[in-house]
Amino acid sequence: MNRRPEVREPIFSSIVHMLDAAATAAPGQPALVFGDERYSYAEYRSCVAALMHLFEPSRVAGKRIATVLPNSAFACAAMLAAMGSGAQLVPLNPAYTTRELEFILGDAEPVLVIAGDSVADVVAAAARSTDA
């Protein structure tokens, strides 16, 4: 007898909605731990919401945002904020060379690139080269 699995509607429409529900239900509970850094659901939601506001969802929705960030709590928040803004996320390894970043950024054509301090010069050089 072939039984088809039951199809259920998703409870949440996105991971950002899941974070919002968790922050409402358990605001003080730990949501993100990275090394010595600890963020409650309320703190994490606040950070993601602030970044989403900076991204101007009307400007980035349906477009690409690239991140060139080392593993960090900020990288997690930036990725969620990009997705919550309706953007397509292009996560890039900060160890990429200028030439690799030039190729990927030129191909992806992001409307916004978020880079860490350690790679800001390399990303800026790659972005200038793709604008030419």
Side-chain angles (χ1 to χ4, degrees):
M1 175 193 236
N2 285 335
R3 290 187 132 199
R4 298 182 102 194
E6 182 181 341
V7 177
R8 296 181 184 183
E9 291 295 317
I11 297 171
F12 300 102
S13 59
S14 75
I15 192 167
V16 177
H17 289 105
M18 290 175 72
L19 174 61
D20 191 47
T24 300
Q29 293 297 312
L32 180 65
V33 177
F34 186 82
D36 293 336
E37 299 175 71
R38 297 180 74 81
Y39 299 91
S40 69
Y41 280 106
E43 292 168 329
Y44 192 39
R45 174 176 60 181
S46 178
C47 183
V48 170
L51 286 170
M52 284 175 61
H53 178 74
L54 290 174
F55 293 167
E56 299 177 39
S58 62
R59 182 177 157 238
V60 301
K63 298 181 178 147
R64 294 180 186 97
I65 292 179
T67 58
V68 190
L69 298 166
N71 293 338
S72 65
F74 178 75
C76 293
M79 289 181 193
L80 275 182
M83 292 184 285
S85 297
Q88 299 167 352
L89 180 65
V90 182
L92 301 173
N93 187 335
Y96 286 160
T97 65
T98 303
R99 186 172 176 187
E100 291 168 321
L101 287 170
E102 286 172 358
F103 177 80
I104 296 168
L105 293 173
D107 187 54
E109 298 180 335
V111 294
L112 179 65
V113 179
I114 304 164
D117 291 340
S118 64
V119 295
D121 292 340
V122 173
V123 171
R128 278 192 300 274
S129 141
T130 61
D131 288 339

